[in-house]
Amino acid sequence: MNRNHYDTDVTTWSPDGKLHQVNYAEQSVRQGSCSLGIRSDTHAVLAAVRRSTNALASSQKKIFKIDDHLGIAISGLTADARVLATYMRTECLNHKYLYNAPIVSGRLVSDIADKHQAKTQASWKRPYGVGLLVVGVDKDGPHLYQTSPAGFLYELQAMAIGERDQAAKTYLEGQLTSFPSGTNIQYM
């Protein structure tokens, strides 16, 4: 059978057990500009490659400030990232208004992962075609999270997503032992 019979909506499973729409969304993350995040005991840092597709076009932002204690780096579809960033900003403001305290970063990122995953359950929706690296600081210190279009959520020490992420991951793995101290950051 042709693969096109199984990629018309997100809830149709192929005979080999895949959701092709989710695979397409993950492919858009892999084709996006490289973004990376590093976390130490005292700091968390995001970095992203801003590339212009044309000499006449400007590059798009890949790092967004969400709140005073939260930021994201993206790889994939920028429009989807802006939707999620707006949702995150709204949730931060609502929490600050209701509880007079900043939202815990892990809770907000868990909500974002749930939004990613919910898009894989309805046939009239498509998965978000963006991967996020989220850094946040709370009472427990800095955190680095990764979300994927399938709804997976990971808390990490260092991570890279996007185009040529494997080379960045290899470099980060080699430097991983020097991250916790955070005293001498000479990585970039």
Side-chain angles (χ1 to χ4, degrees), residues 48 52 114 128 136 138 140 162 166 171 176:
S52 179
D114 289 344
Y128 288 115
D138 56 24
D140 297 327
Q166 193 57 48
Y171 176 77
L176 192 61

Side-chain angles (χ1 to χ4, degrees), residues 101-173:
I103 193 168
V104 177
S105 57
R107 179 175 161 220
L108 181 61
V109 177
S110 178
D111 289 347
I112 291 297
D114 289 344
K115 281 183 75 70
H116 274 292
Q117 201 278 329
K119 291 286 190 166
T120 66
Q121 294 179 344
S123 62
W124 61 90
K125 297 179 180 179
R126 66 167 178 83
Y128 288 115
V130 65
L132 303 177
L133 291 177
V134 182
V135 295
V137 179
D138 56 24
K139 61 181 166 94
D140 297 327
H143 300 278
L144 172 65
Y145 301 97
Q146 177 197 2
T147 65
S148 71
F152 295 119
L153 168 65
Y154 305 102
E155 185 170 3
L156 307 157
Q157 185 78 21
M159 185 57 168
I161 59 174
E163 188 177 43
R164 298 187 190 129
D165 64 341
Q166 193 57 48
K169 287 178 190 175
T170 303
Y171 176 77
L172 292 171
E173 286 174 4

Side-chain angles (χ1 to χ4, degrees), residues 7 30 74 79-80 84 91 102 106 108 131 166 185:
D7 65 354
R30 283 192 292 274
I74 66 157
D80 289 350
L84 292 173
E91 289 297 307
L108 181 61
Q166 193 57 48
I185 299 180

Side-chain angles (χ1 to χ4, degrees), residues 87-105:
Y87 172 79
M88 292 173 80
R89 288 182 185 121
T90 304
E91 289 297 307
C92 286
L93 286 172
N94 287 340
H95 192 277
K96 196 177 288 186
Y97 178 73
L98 286 175
Y99 302 106
N100 200 23
I103 193 168
V104 177
S105 57

Side-chain angles (χ1 to χ4, degrees), residues 15-113:
D16 55 347
K18 295 183 180 180
L19 292 171
H20 288 294
Q21 289 288 321
V22 175
N23 289 346
Y24 298 155
E26 289 173 347
Q27 187 66 28
S28 71
V29 173
R30 283 192 292 274
Q31 291 176 354
S33 297
C34 187
S35 297
L36 63 88
I38 303 169
R39 175 181 70 86
S40 72
D41 291 338
T42 57
H43 297 82
V45 178
L46 292 173
V49 175
R50 287 177 59 171
R51 65 177 178 195
S52 179
T53 56
N54 189 324
L56 299 176
S58 64
S59 59
Q60 295 180 339
K61 285 178 56 175
K62 298 294 179 181
I63 298 177
F64 298 93
K65 178 182 176 183
I66 301 300
D67 200 5
D68 292 336
H69 69 293
L70 279 169
I72 62 172
I74 66 157
S75 180
L77 300 177
T78 307
D80 289 350
R82 287 183 181 151
V83 169
L84 292 173
T86 301
Y87 172 79
M88 292 173 80
R89 288 182 185 121
T90 304
E91 289 297 307
C92 286
L93 286 172
N94 287 340
H95 192 277
K96 196 177 288 186
Y97 178 73
L98 286 175
Y99 302 106
N100 200 23
I103 193 168
V104 177
S105 57
R107 179 175 161 220
L108 181 61
V109 177
S110 178
D111 289 347
I112 291 297

